[in-house]
Amino acid sequence: NAGVTQTPKFQVLKTGQSMTLQCAQDMNHNSMYWYRQDPGMGLRLIYYSASEGTTDKGEVPNGYNVSRLNKREFSLRLESAAPSQTSVYFCASSEIGTSSSYEQYFGPGTRLTVT
Amino acid sequence: QKEVEQDPGPLSVPEGAIVSLNCTYSNSAFQYFMWYRQYSRKGPELLMYTYSSGNKEDGRFTAQVDKSSKYISLFIRDSQPSDSATYLCAMSRSNTGNQFYFGTGTSLTVIP
C-alpha cells in the first residue's frame, strides 16, 4: 500500500516549456487534489476532483490544467511554464462523504523550478 | 484578509517544554478543524482533527477550538526533538470536503 505517489520528485524547466506532473493513489479514494506550497503562502488549492470524471478550479488555477484519468490517477499540466510557477506541488486524496472525509493524504511532493 | 492566519515562527524550545501553536480564522462557517505535521521535504500528514468547538486529546497532543473567538490551538506536552517540524492548521465548512483552507504553517524546533 503506497498511499499517494507523485512523479517526478524534482524538475527544472525553462520558461515556456510544458510538463505534466503525475499523481496516483491506491486507497480507492474518490476525491483528489493538487496544491502548491510557497514560502509565506501556505498550501493553496490549484484544482480538485470530487469524483472520477469531474474537476473544478481551486484558488490558483491560472496556468494549469488537470485530467482525472481514472479513479486512481490525477495529473497536473503546465502548458507554458513561467518562473512564478516555481513551487513545491503536492497531490492529495480523501474519501468524501464518510466519517473520515476531513483527512487528506498527501504525496511526497514535486519540487519544480522554472528558470 | 486571508481565511486562515497562522504565525510562521520559527519557534525554538528546549526538550520537555510545552508548545502552543495557534491559528485564527475569519469564516464563521468553518466546522472542521485539522492540524497537519510536515517534516522537511515531506508531504503533510494529519495529526489531529476536531469537529466544532471543544478539546481533543491524543497522547501528548491536545487540540482546542474556540469558535466564539475564531481561534484554534495545538498544545504539545513534553516536547521531543522528533516533534521538530512545520505544523499547519486547516479547516473546512463541511465534510463534503471540496475546499480545505490551510494556514501558512509554524516551524518548530525542539532542542535536545
Side-chain angles (χ1 to χ4, degrees):
Chain A
N1 188 339
V4 179
T5 57
Q6 292 182 236
T7 55
K9 287 187 168 49
F10 301 93
Q11 184 71 50
V12 178
L13 289 178
K14 294 189 188 314
T15 297
Q17 288 185 319
S18 63
M19 77 162 295
T20 300
L21 281 66
Q22 306 286 355
C23 174
Q25 52 94 6
D26 61 3
M27 295 170 284
N28 204 36
H29 287 165
N30 49 23
S31 296
M32 298 185 73
Y33 309 80
W34 276 106
Y35 290 92
R36 59 178 290 174
Q37 187 174 37
D38 303 290
M41 302 295 291
L43 280 164
R44 292 182 292 168
L45 184 65
I46 305 171
Y47 271 94
Y48 64 93
S49 171
S51 61
E52 187 178 354
T54 68
T55 60
D56 286 287
K57 295 178 181 179
E59 182 184 355
V60 288
N62 291 346
Y64 305 95
N65 285 301
V66 290
S67 294
R68 184 75 182 266
L69 304 169
N70 47 55
K71 191 170 186 180
R72 289 188 63 248
E73 298 173 289
F74 189 37
S75 63
L76 178 73
R77 183 159 178 83
L78 286 71
E79 291 291 352
S80 179
S84 61
Q85 293 178 305
T86 294
S87 187
V88 182
Y89 291 86
F90 288 101
C91 177
S93 71
S94 66
E95 185 66 12
I96 299 304
T98 69
S99 59
S100 61
S101 60
Y102 52 85
E103 181 169 8
Q104 295 195 326
Y105 293 81
F106 285 83
T110 294
R111 294 181 175 274
L112 175 66
T113 301
V114 182
T115 62
Chain B
Q1 184 188 5
K2 287 184 184 176
E3 297 265 11
V4 180
E5 299 278 359
Q6 184 175 10
D7 186 339
L11 193 57
S12 183
V13 301
E15 184 175 353
I18 296 174
V19 176
S20 172
L21 304 167
N22 311 294
C23 289
T24 58
Y25 62 95
S26 57
N27 191 336
S28 58
F30 287 144
Q31 296 191 77
Y32 296 82
F33 304 91
M34 289 73 72
W35 285 96
Y36 282 81
R37 178 175 59 197
Q38 184 177 21
Y39 290 114
S40 180
R41 296 185 174 267
K42 301 285 188 185
E45 56 180 351
L46 184 70
L47 191 60
M48 297 281 290
Y49 152 73
T50 311
Y51 171 68
S52 194
S53 282
N55 293 0
K56 186 171 186 178
E57 189 172 321
D58 184 0
R60 297 184 294 110
F61 299 89
T62 300
Q64 286 186 352
V65 175
D66 181 349
K67 290 189 73 178
S68 62
S69 302
K70 298 191 183 68
Y71 188 87
I72 70 170
S73 301
L74 178 70
F75 297 95
I76 307 174
R77 290 184 300 280
D78 187 24
S79 55
Q80 303 295 309
S82 59
D83 296 328
S84 298
T86 295
Y87 291 80
L88 300 97
C89 61
M91 42 200 83
S92 68
R93 289 187 289 269
S94 74
N95 68 352
T96 57
N98 56 6
Q99 290 279 1
F100 290 79
Y101 296 86
F102 284 83
T104 53
T106 299
S107 175
L108 171 68
T109 300
V110 180
I111 302 166

